Amino acid sequence: MNNIHVILDCGHGMNDTTQGKYSPLLDPGEFNLRDVTVYQNRFREGNFNRLIGQRLERMLRDAGFEVHTVSDNYNDNSLSDRVNKANQIAAKYGKGNCIYISIHSNAAGNGTNWNNATGVSVHCCRKSSENSKKLARLIYKHVLDKGYAGNRSIPEGHIWYNDFYVLKHTTMPAVLVENLFYDNKSDLKQLMDDKHRNEIVSYLYQGILEFAAG
């Protein structure tokens, strides 16, 4: 069995439990409105995050990892609640034996208009540990290998630094992954396609696997 405990946090709540985390209204001629990520004619980030998290959890468990989830199955529980749960797990198993992955999809606007930003980014906080940076770089290496870099400038070291609450206050190596943009039509078509969803799960899984190998 693998001795790394993976803590998964699927950002935001499902359907309309988190306001603003959705795409512009979808044209039924372009998008499948019956997809599990769609509620009231909009792609919902929280639905997507849980779908990816569930698939990743299955792959990790099959590979022998211990997996813990700190996000509610439906509702949007608070940032502090999720961080506290993660830190309790780290206190039990040792923060050096745990990693935290926050799963998201990105948006350049507020759900009103379509935008042009595309691609995947992996984030650490500004004072992150070397292991956090290592985990971020390994995930992004597989993002690049699979061709999901997008059209934005890639920072030096392939890490985006942001002091997101869940990264700043967790005690174990922690990254937040923004998987494509749901207010870009091209990216959204990938987010709603199972082939690309499995590729997203794959680059997360491969990065974790490589990190755990040392």
Side-chain angles (χ1 to χ4, degrees):
M1 296 291 286
N2 202 296
N3 63 355
I4 294 289
H5 291 255
V6 181
I7 302 168
L8 298 180
D9 183 359
C10 303
H12 312 302
M14 292 186 69
N15 294 345
D16 59 352
T17 58
T18 304
Q19 293 302 308
K21 298 298 181 180
Y22 48 68
S23 71
L25 287 168
L26 303 179
D27 181 346
E30 290 187 83
F31 296 96
N32 175 17
L33 301 187
R34 294 186 177 182
D35 189 83
V36 294
T37 60
V38 176
Y39 178 77
Q40 293 182 344
N41 284 33
R42 297 180 189 269
F43 173 93
R44 305 286 174 156
E45 185 190 345
N47 295 23
F48 169 81
N49 297 339
R50 281 161 180 73
L51 179 66
I52 296 300
Q54 289 162 6
R55 293 185 184 185
L56 179 59
E57 180 178 359
R58 287 195 294 268
M59 286 188 70
L60 290 168
R61 289 191 186 280
D62 287 346
F65 287 88
E66 295 288 339
V67 183
H68 312 264
T69 58
V70 295
S71 44
D72 189 89
N73 288 334
Y74 185 86
N75 294 306
D76 189 358
N77 49 333
S78 70
L79 297 173
S80 60
D81 179 66
R82 286 179 270 149
V83 165
N84 289 340
K85 287 179 180 177
N87 289 343
Q88 288 169 12
I89 294 165
K92 180 176 181 179
Y93 297 106
K95 62 183 181 180
N97 299 318
C98 298
I99 60 174
Y100 169 95
I101 312 286
S102 186
I103 299 171
H104 289 262
S105 182
N106 215 340
N110 60 6
T112 302
N113 300 309
W114 297 104
N115 292 282
N116 295 320
T118 70
V120 175
S121 55
V122 185
H123 300 253
C124 291
C125 73
R126 289 179 176 87
K127 294 184 178 180
S128 58
S129 68
E130 288 304 312
N131 275 334
S132 294
K133 296 173 186 175
K134 177 183 176 182
L135 177 60
R137 290 191 185 103
L138 289 173
I139 291 173
Y140 200 71
K141 182 183 80 170
H142 292 282
V143 170
L144 290 174
D145 287 346
K146 293 183 179 297
Y148 290 100
N151 63 6
R152 295 170 301 155
S153 176
I154 300 172
E156 184 178 355
H158 294 180
I159 300 169
W160 282 254
Y161 289 101
N162 286 287
D163 288 336
F164 296 131
Y165 186 93
V166 296
L167 300 180
K168 189 175 181 179
H169 296 283
T170 42
T171 60
M172 71 297 298
V175 301
L176 183 147
V177 186
E178 295 278 12
N179 299 288
L180 302 175
F181 282 78
Y182 54 81
D183 59 0
N184 175 290
K185 282 190 177 184
S186 178
D187 274 16
L188 182 54
K189 286 176 181 177
Q190 294 181 80
L191 291 169
M192 292 178 65
D193 179 82
D194 250 13
K195 173 182 178 293
H196 293 285
R197 288 168 175 167
N198 289 335
E199 291 284 271
I200 290 168
V201 173
S202 177
Y203 62 62
L204 294 170
Y205 172 78
Q206 292 296 331
I208 295 167
L209 200 65
E210 198 168 341
F211 178 88

